Amino acid sequence: GRLLDENGEPLALKVGRLEEPADSQIFTNRNGVFVATGLTAGAYRLTVSGRRYGFAVEAVKPGFTELGDLEPQ
């Protein structure tokens, strides 16, 4: 997925925490893109630079699940 700020700009080169139900760190690249591995189907919360994001993994498939652009909640 790609994390955006309140103005639609990418959150570049940031460290964040994937909180629920997993607990792990994520990192964004220069374009705000992050990758999280080992996720199962379910709802997740993510905090980066004081901003909270939510996303869901519908079904686990081999390879990547594209989350698209995520805006703060």
Side-chain angles (χ1 to χ4, degrees):
R2 184 170 75 141
L3 300 180
L4 304 176
D5 67 13
E6 296 80 359
N7 299 314
E9 296 296 321
L11 282 183
L13 304 174
K14 301 291 183 188
V15 176
R17 177 139 315 269
L18 184 61
E19 299 171 358
E20 291 182 16
D23 185 23
S24 60
Q25 279 191 329
I26 62 97
F27 305 92
T28 63
N29 70 10
R30 293 179 195 273
N31 298 314
V33 174
F34 74 96
V35 174
T37 60
L39 301 181
T40 59
Y44 292 86
R45 286 194 285 182
L46 177 63
T47 302
V48 180
S49 297
R51 297 171 179 92
R52 296 186 64 99
Y53 299 84
F55 65 91
V57 175
E58 297 295 325
V60 177
K61 300 179 276 185
F64 291 99
T65 298
E66 178 60 47
L67 300 173
D69 291 344
L70 301 176
E71 297 178 350
Q73 298 179 334

